[in-house]
Amino acid sequence: MKIVKYLLVFILLIGLGISAWFYYPQYQIHQMKKHAVAASKSDDQISYLNYYRNTKTSPLHHLAIGDSIIRGVGAGKNENFVSLFSSKLGEQTDKRIDFQNQGINGITSGELNNLVQEGRFDDSIKHSDIVTINVGGNDILRMANRQNIRSVFQSYDQLQTTFSKNLSDITAKITVLNPKATIVFLELYNPLPPDNQMYSLADKMLPKWNLNIYEVANKVPGSIVIETTKVINGDHLQNLSPDGVHPNLAGYTAISEQMIYQFKHQIRKSSV
C-alpha cells in the first residue's frame, strides 16, 4: 500500500509540475497586463496616442523590422499592418506618418539580432519615433522542421532562452541608439484550427513563449506589447490567409486596429 501511496503522490506532483509549466506563464502575463491597466488610470499619465498627438515632431517616423508578418505576406501590396497602422495613427494624431517596412521573410530572432548589431538599421532607428518588432515564429518553425514533436517539447525551454536573449539584445541596441523611441512588440499567435491535433498543445505552450516578450518589454521604458492573440486565434480563422499561417487583409487590419486601441488606452512610460 505504501508503494501505491507514494506512486499516487509522485503522479500528483508530476501533474502539478506540468500544470505550473503550462499555466503560470499565462498568470504572469495577466498580472503584467493588469498592472498596465491600473497605471493607465492615473491622471498624471498620458496615453501613447496622446503622446504622439501632442508632440511637436512632424512627420512621425515608424520603422518596422522582423519577419514575414512585418513584410505583409498573405495580403496585397500596402495591405500589411505596418502601412495600415501608420495610416490610422496619422488620422488619429493629424500628423503625417513616414514608415519603413524592413520585414524579411523567414528571418529568425538570431538573424535579426545579427543585422541589428551589425548596424543594418542604425540610421533608421536613430530617426524613428516608433520601432515595431515581430520575430520568433521562424525560430520555432525551423526547430520543428528538424525534429519530431517530442524533441521540440524537450528543446523548448532552451529555444526560449535563446529567443529572449536575442530580443533583449535587439532592444538594448535600439534604446542605446534612440532612447526616446517607442518600441512596439507583437505577441506570437497560434494559427492552428481548433480541430488540429496539435492545437491544444500549441495553445498551452504559447503563453510561455509570449511571456519572454512581456518580460523584455517590461524592462524597456516606452514599450508596448500588442495583444495579437486577441485577433488571430482559433475563433478568428477568417483573419488568416489561405496558407493558414499569415494574416490576410482582414487579419492585418485587425492587428492594426488592436494597435490603435492599445495606443489609446495604455500609458506611455517615460524613457528619459
Side-chain angles (χ1 to χ4, degrees), residues 17-263:
I18 292 174
S19 296
W21 194 90
F22 278 134
Y23 296 112
Y24 187 59
Q26 185 63 59
Y27 169 78
Q28 290 175 289
I29 291 174
H30 175 72
Q31 290 299 106
M32 291 183 187
K33 290 178 181 178
K34 188 167 72 172
H35 175 73
V37 171
S40 68
K41 296 178 181 179
S42 175
D43 292 335
D44 60 349
Q45 301 293 334
I46 187 170
S47 70
Y48 287 86
L49 186 61
N50 283 334
Y51 174 82
Y52 286 111
R53 183 179 285 149
N54 296 339
T55 184
K56 295 180 180 179
T57 303
S58 186
L60 296 172
H61 297 276
H62 178 202
L63 169 67
I65 59 176
D67 54 26
S68 54
I69 303 297
I70 292 287
R71 195 68 191 165
V73 172
K77 185 178 180 181
N78 296 324
E79 293 180 344
N80 58 83
F81 81 86
V82 178
S83 61
L84 293 170
F85 166 74
S86 297
S87 177
K88 293 176 188 295
L89 183 63
E91 294 172 1
Q92 293 285 333
T93 60
D94 197 28
K95 296 180 185 294
R96 192 176 93 238
I97 312 294
D98 291 341
F99 67 89
Q100 293 183 60
N101 188 321
Q102 295 290 338
I104 301 173
N105 295 347
I107 198 169
T108 65
S109 64
E111 292 166 345
L112 180 62
N113 187 27
N114 288 337
L115 292 179
V116 170
Q117 302 308 324
E118 291 168 1
R120 169 82 168 264
F121 309 109
D122 279 9
D123 188 61
S124 295
I125 291 172
K126 290 176 183 177
H127 295 92
S128 293
D129 300 286
I130 301 169
V131 180
T132 296
I133 304 171
N134 188 82
V135 73
N138 291 309
D139 296 39
I140 298 175
L141 289 176
R142 288 197 190 181
M143 181 182 69
N145 288 335
R146 295 195 303 265
Q147 304 178 24
N148 58 45
I149 186 60
R150 183 176 180 180
S151 298
V152 169
F153 190 81
Q154 292 172 338
S155 304
Y156 195 64
D157 283 342
Q158 180 57 52
L159 188 68
Q160 289 184 99
T161 299
T162 302
F163 167 72
S164 182
K165 183 180 185 307
N166 287 330
L167 196 62
S168 294
D169 289 348
I170 291 168
T171 56
K173 179 69 178 290
I174 292 171
T175 54
V176 167
L177 293 172
N178 188 348
K180 293 185 178 181
T182 294
I183 303 180
V184 179
F185 302 90
L186 272 66
E187 292 178 335
L188 184 68
Y189 60 82
N190 178 9
L192 297 175
D195 59 356
N196 186 290
Q197 61 179 353
M198 297 304 298
Y199 174 83
S200 294
L201 179 61
D203 224 38
K204 288 181 175 66
M205 295 177 75
L206 191 61
K208 278 184 66 66
W209 187 270
N210 284 333
L211 179 60
N212 294 289
I213 300 174
Y214 278 91
E215 288 177 337
V216 171
N218 200 43
K219 298 175 183 176
V220 182
S223 65
I224 182 171
V225 181
I226 303 304
E227 298 178 50
T228 321
T229 53
K230 282 191 172 182
V231 296
I232 308 286
N233 54 53
D235 294 326
H236 294 90
L237 296 178
Q238 75 279 5
N239 287 337
L240 289 174
S241 66
D243 67 16
V245 176
H246 297 92
N248 53 21
L249 174 57
Y252 286 123
T253 299
I255 293 172
S256 68
E257 290 173 348
Q258 179 66 28
M259 293 174 73
I260 288 294
Y261 176 85
Q262 289 185 231
F263 264 54

